[in-house]
Amino acid sequence: MSNSILESVDAAGDSTPGRTGTSAGTPASTIVMSMQQALNRALDEVLAENPKAVIFGEDCGQLGGVFRITDGLQAKHGAQRVFDTPLAESGILGMSVGLAMAGFHPIPEVQFDGFAYPAINQIVCQIARMNYRSRGTLPMPITLRVPSFGGIRAPEHHGESLEALFAHVPGLKVVSPSNPHEAYHLLKYAATRPDPVIFMEPKSRYWQKGEVNLAHGEAGAGSPTGAKVMREGRHLTLVAWGAMVARCLQVAELAAEDGIDIEVLDLRWLKPIDAEALAASVRKTRRAVVVHEAPLTSGLGAEVAQLITQSCFDTLRAPVERVTGFDVPYPSGDLEDEYIPNIDRILFGIQRVLEYKRG
Amino acid sequence: MAEISFPLPDLGEGLIEATVLEWLVSPGDQVERNQPLVEVETTKSAVELPSPQAGKVVRIHGGPGDKINVGEPLIVFEVPDNTAGIVGTVPKEEAPKRRVRLSAVLDED
């Protein structure tokens, strides 16, 4: 990808995004679990497979995390590898820098999206550029887990969408899973990268269950890089990530009742963005709507719209629409249903694209 | 079902223990989040501890007059697997509702 100058040499040689269509068949290694269970399992396996992997954060150890993502891991792998930290995000990420320099693979957790702000200096000024600054001698294999986005009626700082902020920083990769299967495979992949990855977990989807095919590779999960078509369609592409993918899939079902055949593209990687997948989908459908929870202005929807416009200008039937949160601080739980794009707002966005007339 | 232990939290600067005055719940009780669990006394004051979560009480530690150190188990809850975290709620899975209908004449070229 274009930011290869910032990337470490990847031992697996696998940094090229590739697309994976919806898989067919149900292999024997498929089990049903929640995203919380899938993430827990992935972390358990990472700890078992990589003796240098360490997990830490506020309440990650004894309690097992406020969302139970690290449940049971301290008991199984020991308090030297899974441990609690003080309430000090800058310290959590600063410690990650030192551990990475010493050859560890830190998997820190920032307990909630809005708690990442105190750690921005460590993330932006150290983690993102240490490899670059040191001419590749000090890679930062850090997987920062951030329970992200809204939808759980939580207080301030517990429902924010920071993907555009992270994606803007050279040296960081950003990914968000949309379901348990993606969560398992993307976390296992992210936790083996030689570069820092911001792993944004959609906390409103932690408890929904889904099929997870544990097998790796083309026979199982397919490629862990790039975007993924979650539903094929002919008339319009909905682009989303995280919790909005499930909502867009619902919208696609409803649109089908009206005779509109919608493709849903789960972007998965928000940095680097799979521009080829966007192009391939929208060249087919000729219409696109981007959906995200984050505020509109300078949100990642703008980047997606530009990438689509760049590759599909001649075929687009309408300007790319954005259906997003509003340009306000994330509201309290009572108001979040008004803030997060709901089914009707997404349908309105689709309708605006469908009825657009040139000239 | 899963068991979740709630240790005695740090009740104030420098306090390392508390004495149980009265339990307000018993094993077998179903408690709600923020429901008072127990009254304890520290060297500074007597306080009621609210429940950090909903769940069924499995065990309580210490009777009236017993001292419990900060960080030691206070109460154990039984909760269904895959329940909400300590912060926030589990979104309800509802059938999608709509008011907007789509209408378009699509040129199928």
Side-chain angles (χ1 to χ4, degrees), chain A residues 34 36-37 63 66 68 112 151-153 158 204-205 207-209 234-235 254-255 257-258 260 286-287 317 343-344 347-348 351 354, chain B residues 4-5 7 71 81-91 93-104 106-109:
Chain A
S34 66
Q36 176 261 331
Q37 290 171 318
L63 184 73
V66 291
R68 319 219 64 73
F112 285 93
I152 64 160
R153 302 280 184 271
H158 295 67
S204 66
R205 305 296 301 173
W207 304 280
Q208 275 76 38
K209 293 191 174 178
R234 292 176 296 140
H235 297 142
L254 295 172
E257 296 171 3
D258 302 335
I260 309 298
R286 298 164 300 165
R287 300 172 185 86
R317 294 302 171 103
I343 285 171
D344 282 333
L347 286 168
F348 269 127
Q351 181 64 33
L354 291 176
Chain B
I4 293 179
S5 177
D81 291 332
N82 311 318
T83 50
I86 287 166
V87 178
T89 57
V90 179
E93 280 289 279
E94 292 172 338
K97 292 194 197 98
R98 71 183 302 183
R99 285 175 294 175
V100 178
R101 287 274 161 191
L102 300 175
S103 60
L106 292 162
D107 44 346
E108 304 276 356
D109 50 291

Short mmCIF file of all heavy atoms in Angstrom, two decimals, chain A residues 34 36-37 63 66 68 112 151-153 158 204-205 207-209 234-235 254-255 257-258 260 286-287 317 343-344 347-348 351 354, chain B residues 4-5 7 71 81-91 93-104 106-109:
data_model
loop_
_atom_site.label_atom_id
_atom_site.label_comp_id
_atom_site.label_asym_id
_atom_site.label_seq_id
_atom_site.Cartn_x
_atom_site.Cartn_y
_atom_site.Cartn_z
N SER A 34 -20.39 -15.46 20.66
CA SER A 34 -20.55 -14.01 20.64
C SER A 34 -19.21 -13.37 20.27
O SER A 34 -18.16 -14.01 20.32
CB SER A 34 -21.01 -13.50 22.00
OG SER A 34 -19.98 -13.72 22.96
N GLN A 36 -17.72 -11.20 22.04
CA GLN A 36 -16.94 -11.21 23.28
C GLN A 36 -16.18 -12.53 23.40
O GLN A 36 -14.99 -12.56 23.72
CB GLN A 36 -17.88 -11.00 24.48
CG GLN A 36 -17.21 -11.08 25.84
CD GLN A 36 -17.41 -12.44 26.51
OE1 GLN A 36 -18.40 -13.11 26.26
NE2 GLN A 36 -16.46 -12.83 27.33
N GLN A 37 -16.86 -13.63 23.14
CA GLN A 37 -16.21 -14.94 23.23
C GLN A 37 -15.15 -15.11 22.14
O GLN A 37 -14.09 -15.70 22.38
CB GLN A 37 -17.26 -16.05 23.12
CG GLN A 37 -18.16 -16.13 24.35
CD GLN A 37 -19.34 -17.08 24.14
OE1 GLN A 37 -19.95 -17.09 23.07
NE2 GLN A 37 -19.67 -17.86 25.16
N LEU A 63 -10.21 -8.78 37.00
CA LEU A 63 -11.64 -8.69 36.65
C LEU A 63 -11.93 -9.34 35.30
O LEU A 63 -13.03 -9.83 35.07
CB LEU A 63 -12.07 -7.22 36.62
CG LEU A 63 -13.55 -6.95 36.36
CD1 LEU A 63 -14.39 -7.30 37.58
CD2 LEU A 63 -13.77 -5.50 35.96
N VAL A 66 -13.93 -4.89 31.68
CA VAL A 66 -15.31 -4.49 31.96
C VAL A 66 -16.28 -5.15 30.98
O VAL A 66 -17.46 -5.27 31.26
CB VAL A 66 -15.51 -2.96 31.93
CG1 VAL A 66 -14.83 -2.29 33.10
CG2 VAL A 66 -15.00 -2.37 30.62
N ARG A 68 -15.45 -8.23 29.78
CA ARG A 68 -15.08 -9.64 29.93
C ARG A 68 -14.33 -10.18 28.71
O ARG A 68 -14.35 -11.38 28.44
CB ARG A 68 -16.31 -10.50 30.23
CG ARG A 68 -17.27 -9.86 31.23
CD ARG A 68 -17.85 -10.82 32.19
NE ARG A 68 -16.83 -11.40 33.06
CZ ARG A 68 -16.22 -10.74 34.03
NH1 ARG A 68 -16.49 -9.49 34.28
NH2 ARG A 68 -15.32 -11.34 34.77
N PHE A 112 -12.17 2.45 27.15
CA PHE A 112 -13.21 3.02 26.30
C PHE A 112 -12.57 4.02 25.35
O PHE A 112 -11.60 4.69 25.69
CB PHE A 112 -14.28 3.74 27.14
CG PHE A 112 -15.20 2.80 27.84
CD1 PHE A 112 -14.93 2.39 29.13
CD2 PHE A 112 -16.32 2.30 27.19
CE1 PHE A 112 -15.78 1.50 29.77
CE2 PHE A 112 -17.17 1.41 27.84
CZ PHE A 112 -16.89 1.01 29.14
N GLY A 151 -24.03 3.07 21.35
CA GLY A 151 -25.12 2.10 21.31
C GLY A 151 -25.39 1.32 22.57
O GLY A 151 -26.24 0.43 22.56
N ILE A 152 -24.69 1.62 23.68
CA ILE A 152 -24.95 0.83 24.89
C ILE A 152 -25.43 1.70 26.06
O ILE A 152 -25.36 1.29 27.20
CB ILE A 152 -23.71 0.01 25.33
CG1 ILE A 152 -22.54 0.92 25.73
CG2 ILE A 152 -23.29 -0.95 24.23
CD1 ILE A 152 -21.52 0.21 26.60
N ARG A 153 -25.91 2.91 25.75
CA ARG A 153 -26.49 3.75 26.80
C ARG A 153 -25.48 4.09 27.90
O ARG A 153 -25.82 4.11 29.08
CB ARG A 153 -27.71 3.08 27.44
CG ARG A 153 -28.83 2.72 26.49
CD ARG A 153 -29.69 3.93 26.17
NE ARG A 153 -30.83 3.57 25.33
CZ ARG A 153 -30.78 3.56 23.99
NH1 ARG A 153 -29.67 3.86 23.36
NH2 ARG A 153 -31.85 3.27 23.29
N HIS A 158 -17.82 7.20 26.38
CA HIS A 158 -18.01 5.76 26.23
C HIS A 158 -18.71 5.41 24.93
O HIS A 158 -19.20 4.30 24.77
CB HIS A 158 -18.83 5.19 27.39
CG HIS A 158 -18.15 5.28 28.72
ND1 HIS A 158 -17.90 6.47 29.35
CD2 HIS A 158 -17.68 4.32 29.55
CE1 HIS A 158 -17.31 6.24 30.51
NE2 HIS A 158 -17.15 4.95 30.67
N SER A 204 -21.27 -2.31 20.98
CA SER A 204 -22.70 -2.66 20.94
C SER A 204 -22.93 -4.03 20.31
O SER A 204 -24.03 -4.58 20.37
CB SER A 204 -23.50 -1.60 20.17
OG SER A 204 -23.13 -1.61 18.80
N ARG A 205 -21.89 -4.62 19.72
CA ARG A 205 -22.03 -5.93 19.08
C ARG A 205 -21.35 -7.04 19.87
O ARG A 205 -21.26 -8.18 19.38
CB ARG A 205 -21.43 -5.91 17.66
CG ARG A 205 -21.97 -4.83 16.74
CD ARG A 205 -23.43 -4.98 16.43
NE ARG A 205 -23.78 -6.25 15.80
CZ ARG A 205 -25.02 -6.65 15.57
NH1 ARG A 205 -26.04 -5.89 15.91
NH2 ARG A 205 -25.25 -7.81 15.01
N TRP A 207 -22.24 -8.87 22.27
CA TRP A 207 -23.01 -10.00 22.78
C TRP A 207 -23.83 -10.72 21.72
O TRP A 207 -24.44 -11.72 21.98
CB TRP A 207 -23.92 -9.51 23.92
CG TRP A 207 -23.12 -8.84 24.98
CD1 TRP A 207 -22.40 -9.44 25.96
CD2 TRP A 207 -22.90 -7.43 25.15
NE1 TRP A 207 -21.75 -8.49 26.72
CE2 TRP A 207 -22.04 -7.26 26.26
CE3 TRP A 207 -23.37 -6.30 24.47
CZ2 TRP A 207 -21.63 -6.00 26.69
CZ3 TRP A 207 -22.95 -5.05 24.90
CH2 TRP A 207 -22.10 -4.91 26.00
N GLN A 208 -23.86 -10.16 20.50
CA GLN A 208 -24.60 -10.85 19.45
C GLN A 208 -23.77 -12.03 18.96
O GLN A 208 -22.58 -11.92 18.75
CB GLN A 208 -24.88 -9.89 18.28
CG GLN A 208 -26.13 -9.06 18.47
CD GLN A 208 -25.92 -7.93 19.45
OE1 GLN A 208 -24.87 -7.33 19.46
NE2 GLN A 208 -26.91 -7.64 20.26
N LYS A 209 -24.46 -13.14 18.82
CA LYS A 209 -23.75 -14.36 18.42
C LYS A 209 -23.74 -14.52 16.91
O LYS A 209 -24.61 -14.00 16.22
CB LYS A 209 -24.41 -15.58 19.08
CG LYS A 209 -24.23 -15.55 20.59
CD LYS A 209 -24.63 -16.85 21.26
CE LYS A 209 -24.27 -16.75 22.73
NZ LYS A 209 -24.66 -17.92 23.49
N ARG A 234 -26.95 -5.18 -6.79
CA ARG A 234 -26.73 -4.60 -8.12
C ARG A 234 -26.91 -3.08 -8.17
O ARG A 234 -26.36 -2.42 -9.04
CB ARG A 234 -27.73 -5.22 -9.12
CG ARG A 234 -27.52 -6.68 -9.42
CD ARG A 234 -28.62 -7.18 -10.35
NE ARG A 234 -29.93 -7.10 -9.69
CZ ARG A 234 -31.05 -6.72 -10.29
NH1 ARG A 234 -31.03 -6.34 -11.55
NH2 ARG A 234 -32.18 -6.69 -9.63
N HIS A 235 -27.74 -2.53 -7.27
CA HIS A 235 -28.19 -1.14 -7.49
C HIS A 235 -27.41 -0.08 -6.71
O HIS A 235 -27.38 1.07 -7.12
CB HIS A 235 -29.68 -1.02 -7.14
CG HIS A 235 -30.56 -1.84 -8.01
ND1 HIS A 235 -31.67 -2.50 -7.54
CD2 HIS A 235 -30.47 -2.14 -9.33
CE1 HIS A 235 -32.26 -3.15 -8.53
NE2 HIS A 235 -31.55 -2.96 -9.62
N LEU A 254 -34.55 -4.62 3.95
CA LEU A 254 -35.75 -3.79 3.81
C LEU A 254 -35.83 -3.19 2.41
O LEU A 254 -36.91 -3.11 1.82
CB LEU A 254 -35.74 -2.67 4.86
CG LEU A 254 -35.82 -3.15 6.32
CD1 LEU A 254 -35.60 -1.99 7.28
CD2 LEU A 254 -37.17 -3.81 6.60
N ALA A 255 -34.68 -2.77 1.89
CA ALA A 255 -34.67 -2.17 0.54
C ALA A 255 -35.09 -3.19 -0.51
O ALA A 255 -35.73 -2.84 -1.51
CB ALA A 255 -33.28 -1.63 0.23
N GLU A 257 -37.37 -5.27 -0.22
CA GLU A 257 -38.84 -5.27 -0.29
C GLU A 257 -39.35 -4.24 -1.30
O GLU A 257 -40.45 -4.38 -1.84
CB GLU A 257 -39.43 -4.91 1.10
CG GLU A 257 -39.13 -5.93 2.19
CD GLU A 257 -39.55 -5.42 3.57
OE1 GLU A 257 -40.13 -4.30 3.64
OE2 GLU A 257 -39.30 -6.13 4.56
N ASP A 258 -38.54 -3.19 -1.51
CA ASP A 258 -38.94 -2.15 -2.45
C ASP A 258 -38.30 -2.36 -3.82
O ASP A 258 -38.32 -1.46 -4.67
CB ASP A 258 -38.49 -0.77 -1.91
CG ASP A 258 -39.09 -0.48 -0.55
OD1 ASP A 258 -40.16 -1.04 -0.24
OD2 ASP A 258 -38.49 0.30 0.21
N ILE A 260 -35.07 -2.74 -4.44
CA ILE A 260 -33.72 -2.18 -4.56
C ILE A 260 -32.72 -3.20 -4.03
O ILE A 260 -32.83 -3.64 -2.88
CB ILE A 260 -33.59 -0.85 -3.79
CG1 ILE A 260 -34.71 0.12 -4.16
CG2 ILE A 260 -32.20 -0.25 -4.03
CD1 ILE A 260 -34.72 0.53 -5.61
N ARG A 286 -22.80 1.47 -9.27
CA ARG A 286 -22.83 2.85 -9.76
C ARG A 286 -23.43 3.85 -8.76
O ARG A 286 -23.66 5.00 -9.08
CB ARG A 286 -23.59 2.94 -11.10
CG ARG A 286 -22.91 2.13 -12.19
CD ARG A 286 -23.83 1.91 -13.35
NE ARG A 286 -25.01 1.18 -12.92
CZ ARG A 286 -26.12 1.08 -13.64
NH1 ARG A 286 -26.20 1.65 -14.81
NH2 ARG A 286 -27.15 0.41 -13.18
N ARG A 287 -23.71 3.39 -7.57
CA ARG A 287 -24.25 4.30 -6.55
C ARG A 287 -23.68 3.87 -5.20
O ARG A 287 -23.52 2.67 -4.95
CB ARG A 287 -25.77 4.23 -6.47
CG ARG A 287 -26.49 4.61 -7.75
CD ARG A 287 -27.97 4.31 -7.65
NE ARG A 287 -28.63 4.57 -8.93
CZ ARG A 287 -28.72 3.68 -9.91
NH1 ARG A 287 -28.20 2.47 -9.77
NH2 ARG A 287 -29.32 4.00 -11.03
N ARG A 317 -23.82 7.33 -10.80
CA ARG A 317 -25.08 7.93 -11.20
C ARG A 317 -25.47 9.11 -10.31
O ARG A 317 -26.40 9.84 -10.60
CB ARG A 317 -26.21 6.87 -11.16
CG ARG A 317 -26.04 5.77 -12.18
CD ARG A 317 -25.99 6.39 -13.57
NE ARG A 317 -25.63 5.41 -14.60
CZ ARG A 317 -26.51 4.87 -15.42
NH1 ARG A 317 -27.77 5.15 -15.32
NH2 ARG A 317 -26.10 4.02 -16.34
N ILE A 343 -32.20 3.17 10.72
CA ILE A 343 -32.63 2.57 9.46
C ILE A 343 -33.26 3.62 8.54
O ILE A 343 -32.94 3.68 7.34
CB ILE A 343 -33.60 1.41 9.75
CG1 ILE A 343 -32.79 0.21 10.26
CG2 ILE A 343 -34.42 1.04 8.53
CD1 ILE A 343 -33.62 -0.94 10.78
N ASP A 344 -34.11 4.47 9.09
CA ASP A 344 -34.79 5.45 8.24
C ASP A 344 -33.82 6.48 7.67
O ASP A 344 -33.95 6.88 6.51
CB ASP A 344 -35.90 6.15 9.03
CG ASP A 344 -37.14 5.26 9.14
OD1 ASP A 344 -37.34 4.43 8.25
OD2 ASP A 344 -37.89 5.42 10.11
N LEU A 347 -32.10 4.81 4.87
CA LEU A 347 -33.01 4.69 3.72
C LEU A 347 -33.19 6.04 3.01
O LEU A 347 -33.23 6.10 1.78
CB LEU A 347 -34.37 4.14 4.18
CG LEU A 347 -34.40 2.65 4.54
CD1 LEU A 347 -35.71 2.28 5.24
CD2 LEU A 347 -34.23 1.78 3.29
N PHE A 348 -33.28 7.11 3.79
CA PHE A 348 -33.36 8.46 3.18
C PHE A 348 -32.12 8.73 2.33
O PHE A 348 -32.23 9.29 1.23
CB PHE A 348 -33.49 9.53 4.26
CG PHE A 348 -34.92 9.88 4.62
CD1 PHE A 348 -35.34 9.85 5.94
CD2 PHE A 348 -35.82 10.26 3.64
CE1 PHE A 348 -36.65 10.17 6.28
CE2 PHE A 348 -37.13 10.60 3.97
CZ PHE A 348 -37.55 10.54 5.29
N GLN A 351 -32.42 6.89 -0.80
CA GLN A 351 -33.41 7.51 -1.67
C GLN A 351 -32.86 8.76 -2.38
O GLN A 351 -33.11 8.97 -3.56
CB GLN A 351 -34.67 7.88 -0.85
CG GLN A 351 -35.79 8.50 -1.66
CD GLN A 351 -36.37 7.55 -2.71
OE1 GLN A 351 -36.44 6.35 -2.50
NE2 GLN A 351 -36.75 8.10 -3.86
N LEU A 354 -30.87 7.50 -5.18
CA LEU A 354 -31.68 6.89 -6.24
C LEU A 354 -32.39 7.93 -7.08
O LEU A 354 -32.58 7.75 -8.29
CB LEU A 354 -32.72 5.94 -5.61
CG LEU A 354 -32.19 4.67 -4.96
CD1 LEU A 354 -33.33 3.91 -4.29
CD2 LEU A 354 -31.49 3.78 -5.98
N ILE B 4 -19.04 -14.04 39.14
CA ILE B 4 -18.21 -12.84 39.14
C ILE B 4 -18.03 -12.39 40.59
O ILE B 4 -19.00 -12.19 41.32
CB ILE B 4 -18.85 -11.71 38.33
CG1 ILE B 4 -18.89 -12.10 36.85
CG2 ILE B 4 -18.09 -10.41 38.52
CD1 ILE B 4 -19.52 -11.07 35.97
N SER B 5 -16.77 -12.30 40.99
CA SER B 5 -16.46 -11.89 42.36
C SER B 5 -16.25 -10.38 42.41
O SER B 5 -15.63 -9.80 41.52
CB SER B 5 -15.18 -12.61 42.83
OG SER B 5 -14.84 -12.17 44.12
N PRO B 7 -14.58 -7.67 44.76
CA PRO B 7 -13.77 -7.46 45.95
C PRO B 7 -14.11 -6.13 46.63
O PRO B 7 -14.67 -5.23 45.99
CB PRO B 7 -12.34 -7.44 45.40
CG PRO B 7 -12.47 -7.02 43.98
CD PRO B 7 -13.85 -7.40 43.52
N GLY B 71 -9.67 -5.23 48.48
CA GLY B 71 -9.19 -6.17 47.47
C GLY B 71 -9.55 -7.61 47.74
O GLY B 71 -9.42 -8.46 46.87
N ASP B 81 -24.14 -16.08 31.04
CA ASP B 81 -23.03 -15.84 30.13
C ASP B 81 -23.41 -14.72 29.17
O ASP B 81 -24.58 -14.51 28.85
CB ASP B 81 -22.73 -17.11 29.33
CG ASP B 81 -22.13 -18.18 30.23
OD1 ASP B 81 -21.51 -17.81 31.23
OD2 ASP B 81 -22.33 -19.37 29.94
N ASN B 82 -22.41 -14.02 28.71
CA ASN B 82 -22.60 -12.98 27.69
C ASN B 82 -23.55 -11.88 28.13
O ASN B 82 -24.38 -11.41 27.37
CB ASN B 82 -23.16 -13.58 26.38
CG ASN B 82 -22.36 -14.77 25.97
OD1 ASN B 82 -21.14 -14.74 26.04
ND2 ASN B 82 -23.03 -15.81 25.56
N THR B 83 -23.48 -11.49 29.40
CA THR B 83 -24.27 -10.35 29.82
C THR B 83 -23.47 -9.09 29.58
O THR B 83 -22.33 -9.12 29.15
CB THR B 83 -24.62 -10.44 31.31
OG1 THR B 83 -23.42 -10.71 32.01
CG2 THR B 83 -25.63 -11.51 31.55
N ALA B 84 -24.10 -7.99 29.86
CA ALA B 84 -23.47 -6.69 29.63
C ALA B 84 -22.20 -6.57 30.43
O ALA B 84 -21.97 -7.27 31.41
CB ALA B 84 -24.43 -5.59 30.03
N GLY B 85 -21.36 -5.65 29.99
CA GLY B 85 -20.21 -5.29 30.78
C GLY B 85 -20.65 -4.50 32.00
O GLY B 85 -21.84 -4.33 32.26
N ILE B 86 -19.68 -4.01 32.72
CA ILE B 86 -19.99 -3.27 33.94
C ILE B 86 -20.57 -1.89 33.60
O ILE B 86 -21.33 -1.33 34.34
CB ILE B 86 -18.71 -3.18 34.80
CG1 ILE B 86 -18.45 -4.56 35.41
CG2 ILE B 86 -18.83 -2.14 35.89
CD1 ILE B 86 -17.09 -4.72 36.00
N VAL B 87 -20.19 -1.39 32.44
CA VAL B 87 -20.71 -0.10 32.00
C VAL B 87 -21.67 -0.34 30.84
O VAL B 87 -21.38 -1.11 29.94
CB VAL B 87 -19.56 0.81 31.54
CG1 VAL B 87 -20.10 2.13 31.02
CG2 VAL B 87 -18.58 1.04 32.67
N GLY B 88 -22.83 0.32 30.89
CA GLY B 88 -23.75 0.27 29.76
C GLY B 88 -24.67 -0.93 29.79
O GLY B 88 -24.68 -1.72 30.73
N THR B 89 -25.46 -1.06 28.74
CA THR B 89 -26.47 -2.10 28.65
C THR B 89 -26.27 -2.89 27.36
O THR B 89 -25.59 -2.43 26.44
CB THR B 89 -27.87 -1.49 28.62
OG1 THR B 89 -27.92 -0.59 27.51
CG2 THR B 89 -28.19 -0.74 29.89
N VAL B 90 -26.87 -4.06 27.32
CA VAL B 90 -26.85 -4.85 26.08
C VAL B 90 -27.96 -4.32 25.17
O VAL B 90 -29.12 -4.28 25.60
CB VAL B 90 -27.09 -6.34 26.37
CG1 VAL B 90 -27.10 -7.13 25.06
CG2 VAL B 90 -26.03 -6.88 27.30
N PRO B 91 -27.62 -3.90 23.96
CA PRO B 91 -28.68 -3.43 23.06
C PRO B 91 -29.67 -4.56 22.78
O PRO B 91 -29.28 -5.70 22.60
CB PRO B 91 -27.93 -3.04 21.79
CG PRO B 91 -26.50 -2.91 22.19
CD PRO B 91 -26.30 -3.84 23.34
N GLU B 93 -32.05 -6.83 20.70
CA GLU B 93 -32.16 -7.27 19.31
C GLU B 93 -33.63 -7.17 18.91
O GLU B 93 -34.46 -7.95 19.36
CB GLU B 93 -31.67 -8.71 19.17
CG GLU B 93 -30.16 -8.84 19.10
CD GLU B 93 -29.56 -8.31 17.81
OE1 GLU B 93 -29.57 -9.02 16.80
OE2 GLU B 93 -29.09 -7.16 17.81
N GLU B 94 -33.93 -6.18 18.10
CA GLU B 94 -35.32 -5.97 17.70
C GLU B 94 -35.45 -6.17 16.21
O GLU B 94 -34.51 -5.95 15.46
CB GLU B 94 -35.77 -4.54 18.06
CG GLU B 94 -35.86 -4.31 19.56
CD GLU B 94 -36.12 -2.84 19.87
OE1 GLU B 94 -35.82 -2.00 19.02
OE2 GLU B 94 -36.62 -2.58 20.98
N ALA B 95 -36.66 -6.55 15.82
CA ALA B 95 -36.92 -6.61 14.40
C ALA B 95 -36.79 -5.19 13.84
O ALA B 95 -37.27 -4.25 14.47
CB ALA B 95 -38.31 -7.16 14.15
N PRO B 96 -36.11 -5.04 12.72
CA PRO B 96 -35.92 -3.69 12.17
C PRO B 96 -37.26 -3.02 11.84
O PRO B 96 -38.16 -3.65 11.30
CB PRO B 96 -35.08 -3.93 10.92
CG PRO B 96 -35.21 -5.37 10.60
CD PRO B 96 -35.49 -6.07 11.89
N LYS B 97 -37.37 -1.75 12.23
CA LYS B 97 -38.58 -0.98 11.93
C LYS B 97 -38.24 0.11 10.93
O LYS B 97 -37.16 0.66 10.94
CB LYS B 97 -39.10 -0.31 13.22
CG LYS B 97 -39.64 -1.29 14.24
CD LYS B 97 -40.44 -0.52 15.30
CE LYS B 97 -40.63 -1.35 16.55
NZ LYS B 97 -39.66 -1.05 17.59
N ARG B 98 -39.20 0.41 10.08
CA ARG B 98 -38.97 1.43 9.06
C ARG B 98 -40.21 2.28 8.88
O ARG B 98 -41.33 1.84 9.12
CB ARG B 98 -38.62 0.76 7.73
CG ARG B 98 -39.82 0.07 7.11
CD ARG B 98 -39.51 -0.67 5.84
NE ARG B 98 -38.94 0.19 4.82
CZ ARG B 98 -38.66 -0.25 3.59
NH1 ARG B 98 -38.90 -1.50 3.26
NH2 ARG B 98 -38.14 0.55 2.70
N ARG B 99 -39.98 3.53 8.48
CA ARG B 99 -41.07 4.39 8.04
C ARG B 99 -40.85 4.83 6.60
O ARG B 99 -41.78 5.17 5.90
CB ARG B 99 -41.18 5.63 8.94
CG ARG B 99 -41.79 5.32 10.30
CD ARG B 99 -41.75 6.54 11.18
NE ARG B 99 -40.35 6.88 11.50
CZ ARG B 99 -39.98 7.95 12.18
NH1 ARG B 99 -40.88 8.83 12.60
NH2 ARG B 99 -38.72 8.18 12.45
N VAL B 100 -39.59 4.79 6.19
CA VAL B 100 -39.24 5.29 4.85
C VAL B 100 -39.35 4.16 3.83
O VAL B 100 -38.86 3.06 4.07
CB VAL B 100 -37.80 5.84 4.86
CG1 VAL B 100 -37.40 6.32 3.48
CG2 VAL B 100 -37.67 6.96 5.88
N ARG B 101 -40.01 4.47 2.74
CA ARG B 101 -40.08 3.53 1.61
C ARG B 101 -39.23 4.07 0.46
O ARG B 101 -39.17 5.29 0.26
CB ARG B 101 -41.53 3.38 1.13
CG ARG B 101 -42.39 2.57 2.08
CD ARG B 101 -42.27 1.09 1.76
NE ARG B 101 -42.72 0.28 2.91
CZ ARG B 101 -42.52 -1.03 3.00
NH1 ARG B 101 -41.86 -1.66 2.03
NH2 ARG B 101 -42.93 -1.69 4.03
N LEU B 102 -38.61 3.18 -0.28
CA LEU B 102 -37.80 3.60 -1.40
C LEU B 102 -38.62 3.56 -2.68
O LEU B 102 -39.46 2.67 -2.85
CB LEU B 102 -36.59 2.68 -1.57
CG LEU B 102 -35.62 2.62 -0.38
CD1 LEU B 102 -34.55 1.56 -0.64
CD2 LEU B 102 -34.98 3.97 -0.12
N SER B 103 -38.40 4.55 -3.54
CA SER B 103 -39.04 4.50 -4.84
C SER B 103 -38.02 4.98 -5.87
O SER B 103 -37.37 5.99 -5.68
CB SER B 103 -40.27 5.40 -4.88
OG SER B 103 -39.91 6.73 -4.61
N ALA B 104 -37.89 4.23 -6.91
CA ALA B 104 -36.93 4.62 -7.94
C ALA B 104 -37.26 3.93 -9.24
O ALA B 104 -37.77 2.81 -9.25
CB ALA B 104 -35.52 4.26 -7.51
N LEU B 106 -35.23 2.48 -11.96
CA LEU B 106 -33.82 2.16 -12.20
C LEU B 106 -33.63 1.79 -13.66
O LEU B 106 -34.35 0.96 -14.20
CB LEU B 106 -33.41 0.99 -11.30
CG LEU B 106 -33.35 1.32 -9.82
CD1 LEU B 106 -33.36 0.06 -9.00
CD2 LEU B 106 -32.14 2.17 -9.49
N ASP B 107 -32.69 2.47 -14.26
CA ASP B 107 -32.36 2.13 -15.64
C ASP B 107 -31.38 0.96 -15.61
O ASP B 107 -30.26 1.10 -15.18
CB ASP B 107 -31.75 3.33 -16.37
CG ASP B 107 -30.72 4.05 -15.51
OD1 ASP B 107 -30.70 3.77 -14.29
OD2 ASP B 107 -29.98 4.86 -16.05
N GLU B 108 -31.86 -0.15 -16.03
CA GLU B 108 -31.06 -1.37 -15.94
C GLU B 108 -30.24 -1.55 -17.21
O GLU B 108 -30.60 -2.33 -18.07
CB GLU B 108 -31.96 -2.59 -15.73
CG GLU B 108 -32.86 -2.49 -14.51
CD GLU B 108 -32.15 -2.92 -13.24
OE1 GLU B 108 -31.00 -3.36 -13.32
OE2 GLU B 108 -32.77 -2.81 -12.17
N ASP B 109 -29.17 -0.79 -17.31
CA ASP B 109 -28.33 -0.99 -18.50
C ASP B 109 -27.14 -1.84 -18.18
O ASP B 109 -26.90 -2.19 -17.06
CB ASP B 109 -27.87 0.35 -19.06
CG ASP B 109 -27.29 1.24 -18.02
OD1 ASP B 109 -28.08 1.71 -17.17
OD2 ASP B 109 -26.08 1.49 -18.03
#
